[in-house]
Amino acid sequence: MTDVDRVPSWPELILLMCFGESEEPSFTGVVEVDDRYEDEDTGEGAPRRLLRVHKSGPRYRVETLDGELVHIQGADRGWTFHPGSDTPGLIKIDDEYTGHSYDYAIARPNPTRWRGNDFTTPTGPAVSTTYLGRAAWQVEIAPPPHKPVSITLVIDAATGMQLRWGSDEFGDVFRWTDIDHGVELADDLFTWDGPFHFAYSDPDELPDDIQEMVERGDAERREKVAALQLPDISVRLSASPEVFNVGDDGSFHAMFDLSGYLVVERRPHSTGAWEDDDPRGYEMWTDGPWDWRMRLSDEIDPEQLDAIRGQLARLS
């Protein structure tokens, strides 16, 4: 444990914040964050909000005080929820940060966080203090040249957890308002078994089990598409010329854009409306057990509708 009778150096505090000195106790707490820091250019977003956090080692779960999920961080993946949606985005865990205002309050920082001059250098030695009843170290962090004031950083002396980051002039980026250490937290708090979408920038980064699930889904989809036996559709396209150059001798350079398209949908016959509320015009009909609807691009003459329907008839 950290010797609170001896003032640690700044490099020692960085090691404490990044790695700790012993097994990190699990805890449940409430953190106040300033969401304006998610968009420094516009300052948009709710100025402040309180979030309940359950944390066990590197895993954590973030909720609103009403119990609405915000983020779940597992051992090797995370799920980020957006307001009003029950389907989170699955993200890779390649570092501790998910791009949200609460990251620095919850996750241990990477040592590279303290490179450069953007609030990385203390103005003096740490000062012993108490925060939420726990021994802590308070450090004033010098601003970079383009910012006006220093930042106060409060660090838990035992765990290295960042307890407050802010200034009296501009308020806190985050500060913990309640922490209950040593609570037992169930493993299912840190996983999600419901539907999700992929928020990965690179599909190769998917965990092995998720990659296998994606490949199975792709194979099943290919089988379903093959079973449909959709025919090739032949249509006549029309386009007006776009003339780029014309010479006095009758020479010219022109383009005819024939990039037409056809949107076709089929569903089992129903008296209800189609699921989406698309305001664009569709040709709709029923043939046997199926309802159909079709939309043509401007390049396709609507007089071809019957011919196109005839080519699709064998699917009914």
Side-chain angles (χ1 to χ4, degrees), residues 194-216:
F196 59 85
H197 65 272
F198 295 112
Y200 281 67
S201 59
D202 183 353
D204 293 335
E205 296 176 345
L206 291 170
D208 290 343
D209 61 321
I210 300 297
Q211 183 64 47
E212 291 173 2
M213 184 178 68
V214 170
E215 292 173 356
R216 287 197 304 271

Side-chain angles (χ1 to χ4, degrees), residues 24 31 71 79 88 165 190 206 208 214 237-238 243 250 257 268-269:
E24 182 178 356
V31 64
H71 184 81
W79 298 265
W165 177 272
F190 309 109
L206 291 170
D208 290 343
V214 170
L237 298 174
S238 62
V243 179
D257 186 356
H269 178 58

Side-chain angles (χ1 to χ4, degrees), residues 154-198:
V154 179
I155 306 163
D156 189 297
T159 67
M161 179 178 173
Q162 298 177 78
L163 300 172
R164 181 197 172 207
W165 177 272
S167 68
D168 294 334
E169 293 85 349
F170 293 97
D172 295 328
V173 177
F174 66 80
R175 68 182 183 95
W176 287 90
T177 63
D178 180 70
I179 299 178
D180 184 10
H181 282 90
V183 297
E184 292 188 10
L185 299 173
D187 288 338
D188 59 8
L189 285 173
F190 309 109
T191 189
W192 175 256
D193 57 6
F196 59 85
H197 65 272
F198 295 112

Side-chain angles (χ1 to χ4, degrees), residues 49-69:
R49 61 173 170 165
L50 293 170
L51 299 171
R52 190 175 307 282
V53 178
H54 309 280
K55 190 169 190 293
S56 177
R59 304 177 302 167
Y60 59 84
R61 179 187 184 98
V62 185
E63 307 169 345
T64 66
L65 296 189
D66 295 331
E68 182 179 356
L69 279 170

Side-chain angles (χ1 to χ4, degrees), residues 30-199:
V30 175
V31 64
E32 182 181 40
V33 297
D34 189 339
D35 280 344
R36 289 175 298 181
Y37 285 83
E38 292 198 5
D39 192 337
E40 294 184 354
D41 293 332
T42 66
E44 293 179 355
R48 292 195 173 277
R49 61 173 170 165
L50 293 170
L51 299 171
R52 190 175 307 282
V53 178
H54 309 280
K55 190 169 190 293
S56 177
R59 304 177 302 167
Y60 59 84
R61 179 187 184 98
V62 185
E63 307 169 345
T64 66
L65 296 189
D66 295 331
E68 182 179 356
L69 279 170
V70 176
H71 184 81
I72 297 175
Q73 191 95 328
D76 65 347
R77 70 201 67 181
W79 298 265
T80 294
F81 296 78
H82 296 286
S85 174
D86 293 329
T87 305
L90 176 72
I91 65 170
K92 180 190 176 187
I93 306 305
D94 55 0
D95 58 32
E96 293 85 351
Y97 300 112
T98 62
H100 297 95
S101 56
Y102 49 78
D103 284 343
Y104 290 104
I106 301 173
R108 288 194 180 277
N110 190 295
T112 58
R113 155 69 183 87
W114 304 107
R115 293 176 179 171
N117 65 355
D118 191 4
F119 292 112
T120 58
T121 305
T123 62
V127 176
S128 177
T129 186
T130 301
Y131 192 98
L132 296 178
R134 293 180 62 84
W137 296 108
Q138 179 171 309
V139 184
E140 295 299 315
I141 307 295
H146 62 287
K147 293 185 179 179
V149 298
S150 61
I151 287 289
T152 297
L153 170 62
V154 179
I155 306 163
D156 189 297
T159 67
M161 179 178 173
Q162 298 177 78
L163 300 172
R164 181 197 172 207
W165 177 272
S167 68
D168 294 334
E169 293 85 349
F170 293 97
D172 295 328
V173 177
F174 66 80
R175 68 182 183 95
W176 287 90
T177 63
D178 180 70
I179 299 178
D180 184 10
H181 282 90
V183 297
E184 292 188 10
L185 299 173
D187 288 338
D188 59 8
L189 285 173
F190 309 109
T191 189
W192 175 256
D193 57 6
F196 59 85
H197 65 272
F198 295 112

